[in-house]
Amino acid sequence: MTMAAAAVARGAGARAAAALRGGCGTAARGRPCAGPARPLCTAPGTAPDMKGYLWERYREAKRSTDELVPSIMSNLLNPDAIFSNNEMSLSDIEIYGFDYDYTLVFYSKHLHTLIFNAARDLLINEHRYPAEIRKYEYDPNFAIRGLHYDVQRAVLMKIDAFHYIQLGTVYRGLSVVPDEEVIEMYEGSHVPLEQMSDFYGKSSHGNTMKQFMDIFSLPEMTLLSCVNEYFLKNNIDYEPVHLYKDVKDSIRDVHIKGIMYRAIEADIEKYICYAEQTRAVLAKLADHGKKMFLITNSPSSFVDKGMRYIVGKDWRDLFDVVIVQAEKPNFFNDKRRPFRKMNEKGVLLWDKIHKLQKGQIYKQGNLYEFLKLTGWRGSRVLYFGDHIYSDLADLTLKHGWRTGAIIPELRSELRIMNTEQYIQTVAWLQTLTGLLEQMQVHRDAESQLVLQEWKKERKEMREMTKSFFNAQFGSLFRTDQNPTYFLRRLSRFADIYMASLSCLLNYDVSHTFYPRRTPLQHELPARSERPPTFGAPLLQEAQAK
């Protein structure tokens, strides 16, 4: 759950009980209670008017929630803030490392269309897929990052932190799979551990699920869904495993064969979002004596042209070490591959590397050799990347580096969360949930009819909340009530996360990031529900500055 979602949920949830108190106020504070106050009889000897009683409680809760919304609106979160999963002080960081794609450089919406079209054409021309699939075009609003794909069943879905499928987010082709069919398919909505994707999100060694964690994977998910849709609509029998592999290989070839790189280099202004703030971040760190390095899977000439565009022709002067075509995550685990130096013309040299020199560009290598040559070990190193697995997981688990995740989607989601419509919806959803929880003790037929109406409203509001972010799959960070599997991994592998590196400009180089102490389910709410100030996380404070 993002901080903004947590603030809304706690704010509504903590006050919901106050609105529901028909007699016992202790239940709202977590202490046992005999239940809600019993409705008064209309006359001696007559039965209680349960329907009227329940709807009165409903109206009271609604009024309380409406009164709550303005206070939540006064504590909006700043989309340019940095959020912390683990306490970390920048004063301890001496060395900063960066990925390239979607970390130092951001791409325009045209890039995903390019990847989709190129991979689609490769399917037709090299894998002999029907030419009719060329009618499908890339839809940037179809998929979100972090989804799972069942390779054998050819369905795309969103899974929460507990391995439960969010019903209503399972798609075969471009059509949603009915909940009943999903439950029959998986014998419930839980995906066993042995069927989940492996450590790096891949479907291997018997794992039938693939998790799409890379921003570059958005065109891949959409292309998979479109080709599935074509086969299904035309009643064509096909093997889902072969389709998955062919699409994966086509997407890979767009990168490996240089199709994407050549297109970007040929029209760099079309594909790269120019942001002088990238240079401002690097210059700020350099001015404070911080060492910096770049480790990317992209090729040298491609990185050089991009960095010249967004930073300047002297970009290499800012970095102490530059490593290209690193083949992460293998770079972090394979000890066998030595570094190779590249000359100015991109030619690989054969001499043995005894030192990683500033101003030079190196290819491949491995982290163990990197640590040996630089001595940059432990928690004084902070590495930024956008891929939770390939960029961050091994570094935090095996090498003790601090890690920062770049999540571009965070900015847009926070802006949605800051809207009055979203806050009103979520606040009432939380209150209504609390109302259902407390009033479920009334088991008479009349009460149960009312509760069924509330459950129907709750379901409709959940669907509305999902559609605020993405009509098919909702938020990147949460399912109906739980964190997503994506957020679970983000929370484990990233010390801090932010929408872009430019967020660092809002903080001093000695700033300490403190994670908020979110109450556990069995703990009392914190004394204050106002979010702590991480530099300038609150929108009003940032605007004041």
Side-chain angles (χ1 to χ4, degrees), residues 173-432:
L174 301 175
S175 302
V176 66
V177 180
D179 294 348
E180 299 78 13
E181 185 177 342
V182 174
I183 292 170
E184 181 180 358
M185 193 185 309
Y186 292 96
E187 297 180 353
S189 59
H190 182 264
V191 180
L193 179 63
E194 61 269 17
Q195 293 182 28
M196 291 291 288
S197 53
D198 68 10
F199 180 76
Y200 295 106
K202 299 178 181 178
S203 59
S204 58
H205 308 296
N207 303 96
T208 60
M209 292 282 189
K210 153 75 177 180
Q211 188 180 19
F212 292 101
M213 297 293 279
D214 193 351
I215 299 176
F216 283 126
S217 67
L218 291 170
E220 183 176 357
M221 285 185 276
T222 306
L223 183 57
L224 263 172
S225 299
C226 287
V227 181
N228 272 314
E229 180 77 5
Y230 173 80
F231 286 148
L232 292 168
K233 291 294 185 184
N234 291 278
N235 297 314
I236 298 174
D237 192 24
Y238 69 104
E239 174 53 61
V241 175
H242 297 333
L243 171 59
Y244 167 74
K245 183 180 183 301
D246 291 343
V247 170
K248 181 181 72 172
D249 290 347
S250 296
I251 292 288
R252 180 203 61 198
D253 287 346
V254 172
H255 294 263
I256 297 298
K257 293 183 177 181
I259 298 172
M260 183 188 81
Y261 301 129
R262 289 192 296 271
I264 294 174
E265 290 180 35
D267 197 349
I268 204 163
E269 293 185 359
K270 176 180 179 180
Y271 292 107
I272 290 183
C273 298
Y274 179 74
E276 58 186 34
Q277 287 183 313
T278 299
R279 181 178 179 88
V281 170
L282 299 175
K284 176 181 178 180
L285 296 176
D287 289 344
H288 284 84
K290 306 297 182 181
K291 294 184 179 298
M292 290 181 283
F293 63 93
L294 170 63
I295 302 178
T296 175
N297 288 348
S298 293
S300 175
S301 62
F302 175 73
V303 173
D304 182 62
K305 289 186 178 179
M307 290 298 285
R308 284 173 177 266
Y309 180 68
I310 63 173
V311 176
K313 62 182 180 179
D314 60 341
W315 70 271
R316 274 196 274 173
D317 294 340
L318 295 169
F319 290 89
D320 294 271
V321 177
V322 176
I323 300 168
V324 299
Q325 292 176 273
E327 296 182 19
K328 296 175 292 182
N330 292 335
F331 179 87
F332 300 127
N333 297 289
D334 190 345
K335 301 180 181 180
R336 299 168 296 177
R337 301 182 312 154
F339 286 105
R340 295 197 72 171
K341 186 188 294 184
M342 302 180 70
N343 66 16
E344 292 298 325
K345 295 182 179 180
V347 177
L348 292 172
L349 306 180
W350 47 262
D351 46 324
K352 186 175 179 64
I353 305 299
H354 296 282
K355 182 181 180 181
L356 298 177
Q357 300 174 325
K358 187 171 184 175
Q360 297 292 327
I361 293 181
Y362 300 89
K363 180 182 176 181
Q364 294 183 343
N366 65 83
L367 184 64
Y368 298 91
E369 190 70 12
F370 177 89
L371 297 175
K372 179 181 176 181
L373 295 173
T374 63
W376 295 345
R377 300 175 183 273
S379 58
R380 63 194 183 115
V381 183
L382 171 58
Y383 185 79
F384 292 95
D386 68 287
H387 198 301
I388 309 302
Y389 297 146
S390 296
D391 287 326
L392 308 181
D394 289 308
L395 293 178
T396 187
L397 291 177
K398 299 179 182 179
H399 303 286
W401 284 9
R402 309 311 294 265
T403 51
I406 304 300
I407 313 294
E409 301 95 332
L410 181 62
R411 183 174 282 119
S412 60
E413 289 218 5
L414 283 173
R415 286 172 177 162
I416 291 170
M417 290 172 166
N418 282 341
T419 62
E420 185 173 0
Q421 184 182 11
Y422 176 84
I423 290 172
Q424 285 178 332
T425 302
V426 172
W428 175 236
L429 177 59
Q430 289 296 106
T431 303
L432 184 59

